[in-house]
């Protein structure tokens, strides 16, 4: 029978165990084993059946069961202990207060929050609001910020169905379902007005419509996460469904999602500040371009107070940090410019000229498309500080976006990099961390100091790796069985799944989203060769594969189908499996259980990648193309690098070359080492369990120990968040505070300066450059007196920096000609030496020739102001010659 009305009855807990309710709603339980185990022990079977969901678990208890629990002294004691621990965690001073902000900032400098915007957040399986790496990263960022005491506040959307659930059809085609989530059954609290009604954010839409959204709050340890939800009765049906799915819908719906995330997000922050009495953020960090409209909303607020455009923009830019995440041009978020215009004409930001909004996202550089609004470009123009997510990705981003800074070499483009990390308490398996804490102590483990792993006997480490592998295999078998049942197999046909995978066999994992560049099917390039590897009678390998394809990506679905069809072959299906519905929960067993993590993207299209870090933290080894994080952290002993074919090769050739290299590495390096080839001659045993004489692959374990001991701090999200605080948040907060003080006095001054300098630069010229002091045969150490005669027109020498840029000279092609380019350059600031009248100045400096070979220099003029974060910031430069 269909229910005609539904409502959610909140569990009312007896007094003695009332703390469980707070423990269930603060998501810290998800990375705090003691709290997690407490929930599990309340009812282990229900815990497993309810997918380890504390809210659902508490909801499943009837009154009698609750009364029993409330009378159980040991449970009551554990609840008290866990709540006391949570209280301490929430209130005590942590890194930010103790070591960072506290001692160095004045007492009056109470840090205001840092708002962190992201379209997705992957925190725990019970709040499925993510599709992949971007969301998991955002979740890890909030968790580490919480652990470090950094006052971050997250802003996102609440999607009714989250991302889709993946299953397979009989013929191996990806099927998508969208189970609807009931926010009342999620660990969320509704933001309410003092009168008890839902607090609402509203945005005007075209045709006189209005978009309303309510705001849910998730507590991620100390970090609040605000999630906007358009599914409210005040909306018409179309508006209600704006937040129905993550990355669903067409341009129109996506644009409205992003308007809600960005502009609505700022309004939600204001609401939250008003209702909770907490401060207004000092920094706005956007995780990828999707939340870019946050900047427009803040400019609107300032222009509404009477500031002019340039002043408002200067203030907003100073306190905005933009992180770019994709080196794949097709992955960049772009809207039809006319659509953006239509929405802003409807009065979204009545004080901001629509042309200015459009100009921020315009691809008005060489090769740009005039009809799109590019969210990454807008992000860069609205953020005074920007970064990529690994060193290589920083370099690729500088190259990719250099069109926005004409006249500058790519390496001067103001996009830095902070390499992503992962939240260790989430991703290190409880088995590993519990033992590590026993052996090395809690503070060493919390500080990612795993040096003492070298003291752990190989026997013990190997046994632990086997335990993790066994847990993975048990999980694989259960998932395989359930997947086959959904594909229509009968129980009788499925006996083989009980023997799928072998706990003595080297286990390789490959799980990630399935965009083309990640090359899910590279391993199938030579199917016969892969089959031989899988079925080798003595030293086989086994593979666990998983990944979702975006529902609109036919190419990705075809790759999944090709993979699944291969795994369906009865000759290999016990050695290679595809598991549907890759998610956090699967990852938490899969990553620790794998001996090897395979990653073979098309270099350099993987911005960072983080799954390999999670594997390494648990003692697995990476086998990866030198892309993203691996490019900077591979050291020759912590795993293997799959060589990259020349990028000049066709994609077919690249795949052939790189797949062959992958098979070679597996056959010649990994398999022998895993099975302990160093002594297998003496052992003479056969079968998968054959290893060195004592059955333990010591050389393999040496690599495992080396990995765990050396990569820990670099891979951790704590390191990442500390880098953000020091390199970006703090400078942004300080710049923002400086500009906004005294009723935006500095912002006005800076804006006026920028306008003047931008105009003035049009007529700046380097008229002449000469150098004295070089003999016929210059030598290293010789000094060169450089003089530049510059016409500054109306600008003052204080407004500019005149530089001699010097270095090695190379000849490089430039169009049909060749020109001398400078490489490995250094910079010498020239000082104003003489006012020559009429706006003309002589600048001089002494340049010391510090290298032999072809040497050269040039002179250029840049704007100079203490509030510029980078000399390239204004994209203004006048080069000599
Ligand atoms: C870590 C993780 C990702 C991101 O992995 P990449 O290496 O960046 O592809 C995606 N999904 C889940 C479930 C993860 O745990």
């Amino acid at each position: 029978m269909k229910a005609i009305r539904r409502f959610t009855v909140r569990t009312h807990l007896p007094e003695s165990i009332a703390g469980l309710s707070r423990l269930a709603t603060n998501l810290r339980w998800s990375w705090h084993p003691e709290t997690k185990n407490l929930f599990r022990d309340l009812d282990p079977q229900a815990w497993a059946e309810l997918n380890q969901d504390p809210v659902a678990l508490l909801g499943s208890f009837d009154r009698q069961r609750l009364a029993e629990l409330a009378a159980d002294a040991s449970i009551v004691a554990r609840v008290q202990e866990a709540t006391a621990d949570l209280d301490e965690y929430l209130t005590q001073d942590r890194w930010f207060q103790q070591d960072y902000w506290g001692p160095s900032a004045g007492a009056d400098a109470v840090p205001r929050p840092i708002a962190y915007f992201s379209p997705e957040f992957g925190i725990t399986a019970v709040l499925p609001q993510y599709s992949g790496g971007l969301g998991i990263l955002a979740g890890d960022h909030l968790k580490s910020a919480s652990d470090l005491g950094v006052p971050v506040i997250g802003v996102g959307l609440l999607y009714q169905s989250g991302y889709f659930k993946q299953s397979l059809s009989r013929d191996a085609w990806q099927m998508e379902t969208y189970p609807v989530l009931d926010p009342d059954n999620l660990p969320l609290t509704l933001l309410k007005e003092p009168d008890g009604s839902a607090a609402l954010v509203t945005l005007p839409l075209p045709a006189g419509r209005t978009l309303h959204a309510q705001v849910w709050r998730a507590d991620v340890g100390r970090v609040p996460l605000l999630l906007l939800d358009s599914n409210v009765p005040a909306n018409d049906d179309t508006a209600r469904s704006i937040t129905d799915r993550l990355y669903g819908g067409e341009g129109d719906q996506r644009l409205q999602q992003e308007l809600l995330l960005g502009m609505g997000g700022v309004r939600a922050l204001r609401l939250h500040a008003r209702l909770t009495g907490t401060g207004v953020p000092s920094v706005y960090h956007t995780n990828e371009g999707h939340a870019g409209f946050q900047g427009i909303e803040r400019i609107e607020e300032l222009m509404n107070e009477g500031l002019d455009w340039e002043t408002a923009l200067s203030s907003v830019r100073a306190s905005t940090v933009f992180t770019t995440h994709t080196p794949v041009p097709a992955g960049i978020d772009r809207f039809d410019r006319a659509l953006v215009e239509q929405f802003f004409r409807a009065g979204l930001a009545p004080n901001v000229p629509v042309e200015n909004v459009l100009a921020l996202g315009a691809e008005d550089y060489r090769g740009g498309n005039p009809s799109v609004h590019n969210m990454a470009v807008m992000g860069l123009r609205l953020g005074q500080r920007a970064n990529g997510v690994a060193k290589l990705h920083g370099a690729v981003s500088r190259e990719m976006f250099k069109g926005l800074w004409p006249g500058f070499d790519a390496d001067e483009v103001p996009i830095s990099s902070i390499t992503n990390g992962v939240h260790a308490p989430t991703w290190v398996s409880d088995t590993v961390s519990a033992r590590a804490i026993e052996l090395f102590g809690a503070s060493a483990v919390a500080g990612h100091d795993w040096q003492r792993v070298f003291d752990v006997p190989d026997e013990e480490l190997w046994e632990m790796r086997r335990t993790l592998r066994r847990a993975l295999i048990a999980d694989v078998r259960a998932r395989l069985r359930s997947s086959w049942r959904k594909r229509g197999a009968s129980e009788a046909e499925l006996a083989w799944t009980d023997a799928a995978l072998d706990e003595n066999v080297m286990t390789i994992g490959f799980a990630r989203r399935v965009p083309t560049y990640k090359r899910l099917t590279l391993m199938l390039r030579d199917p016969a060769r892969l089959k031989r590897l899988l079925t080798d009678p003595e030293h086989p390998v086994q593979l666990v594969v998983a990944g979702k394809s975006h529902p609109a990506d036919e190419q990705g679905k075809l790759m999944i189908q090709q993979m699944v069809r291969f795994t369906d072959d009865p000759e290999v299906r016990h050695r290679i499996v595809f598991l549907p519905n890759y998610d956090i929960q699967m990852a938490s067993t899969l990553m620790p259980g794998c001996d090897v993590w395979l990653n073979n993207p098309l270099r350099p299209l993987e911005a960072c990648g983080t799954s390999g870090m999670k594997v390494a933290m648990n003692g697995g080894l990476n086998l990866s193309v030198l892309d993203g994080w691996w490019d900077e952290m591979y050291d020759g002993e912590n795993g293997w690098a799959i060589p990259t074919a020349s990028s000049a090769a066709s994609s077919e050739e690249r795949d052939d070359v790189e797949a062959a290299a992958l098979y070679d590495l597996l056959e010649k390096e990994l398999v022998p080492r895993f099975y302990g080839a160093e002594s297998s001659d003496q052992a003479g045993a056969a079968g998968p369990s054959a290893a060195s004489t004592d059955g333990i692959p010591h050389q393999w374990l040496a690599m495992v120990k080396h990995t765990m001991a050396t990569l820990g701090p670099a891979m951790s999200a704590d390191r990442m968040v500390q880098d953000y605080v020091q390199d970006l948040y703090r400078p942004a907060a300080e710049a923002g505070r400086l500009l906004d003080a005294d009723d935006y006095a500095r912002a006005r001054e800076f804006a006026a300066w920028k306008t003047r300098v931008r105009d003035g630069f049009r007529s700046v010229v380097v008229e002449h450059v000469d150098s004295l002091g070089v003999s016929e045969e210059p030598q290293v150490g010789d000094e060169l007196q450089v003089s530049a005669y510059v016409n500054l027109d109306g600008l003052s020498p204080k407004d500019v920096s005149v530089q001699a840029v010097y270095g090695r000279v190379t000849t490089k092609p430039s169009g049909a000609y060749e020109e001398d380019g400078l490489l490995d350059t250094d910079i010498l600031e020239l000082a104003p030496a003489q006012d020559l009248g009429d706006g003309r100045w002589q600048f001089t400096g002494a340049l010391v020739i510090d290298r032999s070979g072809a040497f050269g220099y040039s002179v250029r003029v840049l704007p100079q102001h203490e509030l510029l974060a980078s000399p390239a910031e204004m994209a203004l430069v006048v080069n000599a010659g």
Side-chain angles (χ1 to χ4, degrees):
M1 196 193 291
K2 190 173 183 299
I4 58 161
R5 195 156 298 143
R6 58 168 290 172
F7 37 91
T8 305
V9 183
R10 286 264 174 180
T11 314
H12 183 75
L13 296 169
E15 187 62 34
S16 64
I17 53 168
L20 285 172
S21 166
R22 262 182 72 225
L23 292 170
T25 39
N26 191 309
L27 296 171
R28 190 215 182 201
W29 67 261
S30 67
W31 73 92
H32 190 246
E34 287 84 348
T35 311
K36 210 184 333 176
N37 294 342
L38 167 60
F39 283 116
R40 179 198 61 198
D41 295 345
L42 296 179
D43 188 337
Q45 198 187 333
W47 177 247
E49 280 164 11
L50 295 166
N51 294 321
Q52 312 191 354
D53 180 342
V55 173
L57 180 78
L58 295 181
S60 76
F61 295 147
D62 58 23
R63 283 174 59 178
Q64 190 195 335
R65 179 74 190 125
L66 287 173
E68 281 164 24
L69 289 170
D72 181 332
S74 100
I75 294 288
V76 171
R78 284 175 70 187
V79 172
Q80 274 163 4
E81 211 176 301
T83 43
D85 183 87
L86 178 63
D87 284 334
E88 190 185 333
Y89 175 85
L90 295 178
T91 51
Q92 74 192 172
D93 281 356
R94 304 185 75 84
W95 168 79
F96 187 80
Q97 292 76 17
Q98 282 168 0
D99 304 328
Y100 187 65
W101 199 274
S104 53
D108 56 334
V110 176
R112 289 192 282 131
I114 292 134
Y116 181 90
F117 289 73
S118 175
E120 44 174 315
F121 285 92
I123 297 158
T124 115
V126 308
L127 195 57
Q129 299 287 321
Y130 63 94
S131 80
L134 186 74
I136 308 268
L137 177 79
D140 282 5
H141 195 102
L142 299 194
K143 291 173 188 173
S144 275
S146 171
D147 289 347
L148 295 167
V150 181
V152 166
I153 174 164
V155 182
L157 300 177
L158 182 76
Y159 306 96
Q160 262 167 275
S161 300
Y163 203 50
F164 69 93
K165 278 202 158 155
Q166 179 196 48
S167 58
L168 295 170
S169 73
R170 186 85 204 195
D171 67 347
W173 195 247
Q174 169 175 297
M175 318 262 278
E176 297 115 25
T177 50
Y178 294 89
V180 174
L181 303 165
D182 176 358
D184 284 321
N185 290 327
L186 296 176
L188 300 172
T189 324
L190 191 62
L191 214 60
K192 288 183 179 159
E193 294 290 349
D195 68 3
S197 63
L200 290 180
V201 160
T202 58
L203 297 178
L205 294 179
R209 291 167 60 227
T210 302
L211 170 59
H212 302 80
Q214 55 190 2
V215 184
W216 297 90
R217 172 182 159 133
D219 288 301
V220 186
R222 302 162 69 112
V223 169
L225 166 60
L226 307 181
L227 299 170
L228 289 104
D229 169 13
S230 73
N231 185 19
V232 296
N235 280 335
D236 59 35
D237 286 351
T238 322
R240 260 185 114 130
S241 60
I242 284 171
T243 54
D244 64 349
R245 291 173 185 179
L246 172 56
Y247 304 143
E250 298 298 312
D252 193 43
Q253 183 182 0
R254 279 288 286 280
L255 176 60
Q256 292 181 68
Q257 286 190 342
E258 298 192 6
L259 289 168
L260 185 60
L261 173 62
M263 305 192 70
V266 172
R267 295 185 189 191
L269 285 164
R270 306 295 183 245
L271 259 184
H272 184 254
R274 169 168 67 78
L275 293 169
T276 60
T278 48
V280 171
S282 57
V283 176
Y284 296 75
H285 180 188
T286 65
N287 190 36
E288 194 50 287
H290 309 285
F293 293 115
Q294 61 81 26
I296 309 290
E297 173 67 11
R298 291 167 53 218
I299 291 173
E300 165 65 25
E301 290 177 336
L302 296 177
M303 292 184 76
N304 189 40
E305 284 178 37
L307 266 58
D308 64 276
W309 160 260
E310 194 70 44
T311 305
L313 177 63
S314 298
S315 162
V316 165
R317 275 175 54 80
S319 49
T320 300
V321 173
F322 171 63
T323 302
T324 172
H325 283 267
T326 177
V328 189
I332 289 195
D333 206 10
R334 295 148 107 209
F335 292 107
D336 185 358
R337 183 183 166 96
L339 189 68
V340 176
E341 175 165 10
Q342 187 197 338
F343 274 88
F344 277 91
R345 294 253 178 254
L348 274 169
N351 291 287
V352 183
V354 177
E355 299 66 47
N356 295 15
V357 175
L358 297 175
L360 287 170
E363 294 189 353
D364 52 4
Y365 41 81
R366 193 137 56 101
N369 177 346
S371 66
V372 301
H373 187 89
N374 183 316
M375 295 299 282
V377 165
M378 183 164 83
L380 290 166
R381 288 186 175 136
L382 279 172
Q384 198 178 16
R385 288 168 182 80
N387 69 299
V389 292
K391 289 196 176 100
L392 177 62
H393 179 237
V396 171
S397 301
R398 289 189 285 276
E399 187 65 41
M400 181 164 156
F401 291 112
K402 70 178 181 196
L404 290 173
W405 288 273
F408 289 89
D409 287 347
D411 60 2
E412 290 185 296
V413 164
I415 301 176
S416 64
S417 71
I418 290 182
T419 304
N420 288 341
V422 299
H423 184 244
T426 297
W427 295 109
V428 177
S429 100
D430 291 352
T431 314
V432 175
S433 66
R435 188 67 183 131
I437 288 169
E438 269 170 30
L439 292 170
F440 323 142
S443 74
V445 172
H448 313 286
D449 176 6
W450 291 63
Q451 279 302 320
R452 285 172 57 199
V453 70
F454 290 114
D455 303 338
V456 177
D458 282 358
E459 292 70 27
E460 174 172 359
L461 186 57
W462 188 235
E463 195 42 49
M464 175 166 289
R465 293 292 319 151
R466 288 173 61 101
T467 305
L468 299 170
R469 203 184 304 129
R470 267 198 298 271
L472 165 61
I473 292 171
D475 190 52
V476 164
R477 289 177 183 167
R479 287 175 186 272
L480 209 52
R481 189 168 267 274
S482 126
S483 168
W484 270 105
R485 273 202 223 103
K486 286 191 192 126
R487 293 178 72 185
S490 71
E491 206 58 41
E493 292 171 85
L494 292 180
W496 67 271
T497 57
D498 290 337
L501 306 192
D502 179 331
E503 68 173 66
N504 297 308
V505 170
M506 181 170 96
T507 306
I508 306 173
F510 185 105
R512 45 185 56 86
R513 290 180 306 109
V514 191
T516 325
Y517 77 86
K518 295 201 186 224
R519 293 193 295 187
L520 168 72
T521 50
L522 188 73
M523 66 179 91
L524 301 180
R525 199 76 190 160
D526 183 345
R529 196 163 171 194
L530 177 63
K531 200 163 173 176
R532 282 201 300 281
L533 272 161
L534 295 169
T535 55
D536 186 280
E538 267 189 66
H539 296 149
V541 305
Q542 59 194 9
L543 262 151
V544 183
V545 185
K548 292 176 175 180
S549 167
H550 187 280
D553 179 6
E554 287 291 299
Q555 193 68 31
K557 291 187 188 177
L558 279 167
M559 291 202 287
I560 290 177
Q561 185 176 47
Q562 191 192 346
M563 174 57 71
V564 175
R565 286 192 170 152
F566 182 86
T567 67
D568 284 351
D569 176 355
E571 285 182 37
V572 296
R573 68 185 182 188
H574 60 301
R575 292 266 194 262
I576 180 166
V577 297
F578 180 90
L579 303 180
N581 204 37
Y582 178 48
D583 66 358
I584 292 185
Q585 206 165 6
M586 183 195 297
S588 67
T589 321
L590 173 60
M591 291 170 182
C594 285
D595 301 293
V596 177
W597 194 250
L598 174 62
N599 186 30
N600 49 36
L602 263 177
R603 188 178 191 267
L605 299 185
E606 180 83 307
C608 179
T610 51
S611 51
M613 297 180 179
K614 303 170 194 167
V615 173
M617 280 186 170
N618 284 285
L621 299 175
N622 278 270
L623 168 61
S624 170
V625 164
L626 285 176
D627 201 2
W629 75 286
W630 195 232
D631 185 63
E632 69 197 74
M633 294 195 205
Y634 169 67
D635 71 358
E637 289 173 59
N638 52 10
W640 296 269
I642 303 171
T644 309
S646 150
S647 55
S650 75
S651 67
E652 291 290 311
E653 285 165 348
R654 280 185 79 166
D655 285 1
D656 279 338
V657 169
E658 294 178 20
L662 165 61
Y663 299 128
D664 279 348
L665 277 169
L666 283 169
E667 287 163 5
K668 299 193 181 115
E669 305 277 340
L670 280 82
V671 166
R673 191 164 291 212
F674 183 87
Y675 290 106
E678 70 270 25
S679 46
S680 64
D681 289 343
Q682 298 103 291
S689 60
S692 53
T693 39
D694 58 1
I696 293 171
H698 298 287
Q699 288 193 20
W700 183 276
L701 291 173
M703 291 178 76
V704 169
K705 288 180 180 177
H706 172 74
T707 300
M708 295 176 92
T710 58
L711 284 186
M715 296 189 299
S716 99
D718 287 354
R719 188 272 310 147
M720 167 181 77
V721 170
Q722 287 170 325
D723 285 351
Y724 273 102
V725 169
Q726 283 156 357
D727 300 347
L728 297 172
Y729 294 163
R730 185 157 191 166
E734 282 168 1
R737 189 166 54 219
L738 199 63
L739 283 174
D740 295 354
D742 303 327
D743 192 24
Y744 304 96
R746 297 295 305 275
R748 288 175 217 271
E749 185 194 306
F750 186 39
W753 178 85
K754 278 197 286 190
T755 307
R756 184 166 62 79
V757 166
R758 201 178 288 124
D759 291 345
F761 246 73
R762 293 203 193 106
S763 44
V764 169
V765 260
V766 181
E767 291 178 339
H768 175 68
V769 177
D770 61 36
S771 48
L772 294 173
V774 189
S775 61
E776 292 290 301
E777 290 175 44
Q779 308 226 332
V780 173
D782 281 1
E783 209 177 73
L784 210 65
Q785 289 298 326
V786 179
S787 285
Y789 298 86
V790 182
N791 191 337
L792 292 178
D793 202 10
L795 299 180
S796 122
K798 283 204 307 267
D799 296 329
V800 298
S801 154
V802 179
Q803 303 178 336
V805 182
Y806 61 99
R808 202 152 53 79
V809 173
T810 56
T811 314
K812 58 183 181 190
S814 163
Y817 303 93
E818 298 211 312
E819 68 178 24
D820 282 350
L822 287 172
L823 270 187
D824 306 330
T825 50
D826 282 308
I827 285 171
L828 171 74
E829 288 288 336
L830 304 181
Q834 229 192 118
D835 181 350
L836 304 169
D838 282 344
R840 298 179 61 249
W841 286 79
Q842 182 196 21
F843 288 79
T844 58
L847 193 163
V848 178
I849 299 179
D850 60 356
R851 58 198 100 185
S852 52
F855 179 88
Y857 74 93
S858 182
V859 167
R860 65 179 182 181
V861 185
L862 303 164
Q864 171 171 267
H865 194 283
E866 59 178 341
L867 294 173
L868 289 173
S870 142
E873 182 171 327
M874 292 178 69
L876 291 177
V877 60
V878 172
N879 290 311

